[in-house]
Amino acid sequence: MTGPSSTPRGEHSPRPGVTWVSSTTAWSGEQLVDDDAPEPAPPNRATRRAIARAQRRKNRGR
């Protein structure tokens, strides 16, 4: 077994075309809510329709 080298290694360069932006995680939609916070208002009609439309598109793509 060899001992540690006195010369530091060079900086590692990533694959070409890979940036830190492509390696970030997406937001899961989870939010922390204080226990003493009032209940949120229910979504309005436009929001409910948009959610239903997104679900239909998601299920159609299976």
Side-chain angles (χ1 to χ4, degrees), residues 11-36:
E11 184 178 335
H12 170 72
S13 58
R15 294 178 311 201
V18 175
T19 62
W20 68 271
V21 175
S22 62
S23 65
T24 58
T25 58
W27 181 56
S28 66
E30 184 177 359
Q31 293 179 337
L32 296 177
V33 179
D34 190 24
D35 289 337
D36 299 328

Side-chain angles (χ1 to χ4, degrees), residues 31-54:
Q31 293 179 337
L32 296 177
V33 179
D34 190 24
D35 289 337
D36 299 328
E39 289 295 320
N44 62 17
R45 182 172 185 243
T47 304
R48 290 193 313 266
R49 290 173 56 118
I51 292 170
R53 189 169 44 250

